[in-house]
Amino acid sequence: MAADPRLARAMDPRRTATPPQPPPPPPPAQSEQKPVGGYDGVEDVNLDSETRREREDFKLKFCTVCASNNNRSMEAHLRLSLASYPVLSFGTGSLVRLPGPSITQPNVYSFNNTSYESMRQELLAKDPRLYRANGILPMLERNSSVKWGPERWQDWPVGMPRLSEYQQGKGSKGAEGGVVDVVITCEERCWDAVVDNLIERGSPLNRPVHVINVDIKDNHEEALVGGKAILDLADSLNEAANEERVDTEGNMSFDERVPDIIADWQERWPHLPALWTLAWF
């Protein structure tokens, strides 16, 4: 019910002729404690140093895959490793095939026991002018600075520690545990081979893994563009994974957000068709 405050004041027996003293000023406002992981643009302000360090140190583990583990997967491997992501790379072909003097005369090597440097030396002895002009020698020089040699996906014993491989230059720092969170293939047939192989393995680790294909033409120019796009996708995925680690409200999990992340990424890179599935190690 509405009431006239003047009537209430007139009927108050405590009313005197002396006007009341003004109330004391309110105490200084205490800064509101923001929840860890808030989404108001200042989520890092109240993170303690240990939590902030954990977020900065945490990185998703990636694996890049193409047919011969030489061009597209290695360009992406290089970019991810330079961004401090733990990363492995593989090929899905039966043999490593590099362009030769003609389409019917490729240079063929075996996976797992042929180094990039030995390939480079062999092609340098065969025809240095040809293999420098078509970009094969510079590609092998780049590859040898990243890891020892091409590895085959189907021969990878998932979950086995890779300490000796890392010491021999066959792996990336942080990926010595032998598992990854995301596999990114560079061609649809490689995506098919990876998914089929995971099904054949029977999920012995019962560990989820996101398998994403970014379709990249197998030439040096497209590999450079594809490597940038894969790094952009990795950054988006890693940001979402970090948000889940500090989300106290129980919002959507990282696994649930991956399709939306890929859809947003696809708008930024419309010329690189993408596929995705959730599989299991």
Side-chain angles (χ1 to χ4, degrees), residues 232 236 257-269:
D232 180 30
S236 298
R257 294 179 61 187
V258 168
D260 292 334
I261 294 170
I262 297 174
D264 291 340
W265 172 89
Q266 187 74 87
E267 292 182 0
R268 300 194 297 272
W269 303 88

Side-chain angles (χ1 to χ4, degrees), residues 10-11 81 137 155 165 183 257:
M11 297 174 61
S81 63
L137 289 177
D155 301 330
E165 288 85 349
V183 176
R257 294 179 61 187

Side-chain angles (χ1 to χ4, degrees), residues 188-245:
E188 187 170 346
R189 64 170 176 162
C190 298
W191 186 80
D192 291 336
V194 166
V195 173
D196 289 345
N197 179 256
L198 288 173
I199 294 173
E200 291 173 3
R201 291 175 186 253
S203 310
L205 303 182
N206 196 31
R207 178 188 174 101
V209 57
H210 295 272
V211 186
I212 304 168
N213 183 65
V214 177
D215 211 57
I216 304 170
K217 293 181 180 179
D218 193 7
N219 60 60
H220 302 300
E221 294 77 15
E222 293 295 329
L224 288 171
V225 175
K228 295 178 183 178
I230 288 174
L231 177 58
D232 180 30
L233 177 58
D235 286 340
S236 298
L237 293 168
N238 195 67
E239 181 181 357
N242 267 307
E243 288 175 357
E244 182 190 35
R245 289 167 64 85

Side-chain angles (χ1 to χ4, degrees), residues 4-110:
D4 188 341
R6 294 172 297 177
L7 297 177
R9 183 172 182 268
M11 297 174 61
D12 189 350
R14 296 171 296 177
R15 186 172 67 89
T16 64
T18 305
Q21 296 296 319
Q30 299 293 326
S31 60
E32 182 182 357
Q33 179 69 32
K34 302 292 185 183
V36 174
Y39 295 97
D40 55 1
V42 294
E43 61 177 359
D44 286 335
V45 172
N46 295 299
L47 290 178
D48 57 70
S49 59
E50 182 177 353
T51 303
R52 184 179 291 108
R53 184 170 60 253
E54 181 183 358
R55 287 193 61 184
E56 292 173 350
D57 292 344
F58 175 75
K59 297 282 188 180
L60 288 174
K61 297 178 176 63
F62 290 91
C63 173
T64 60
V65 181
C66 67
S68 291
N69 195 199
N70 261 278
N71 184 27
R72 297 163 292 178
S73 64
M74 286 303 294
E75 177 62 32
H77 185 145
L78 174 62
R79 289 187 177 272
L80 291 172
S81 63
L82 290 176
S84 300
Y85 287 108
V87 57
L88 303 173
S89 61
F90 296 95
T92 57
S94 56
L95 294 167
V96 176
R97 290 179 170 84
L98 299 180
S102 71
I103 193 171
T104 59
Q105 296 175 293
N107 294 284
V108 180
Y109 305 95
S110 59

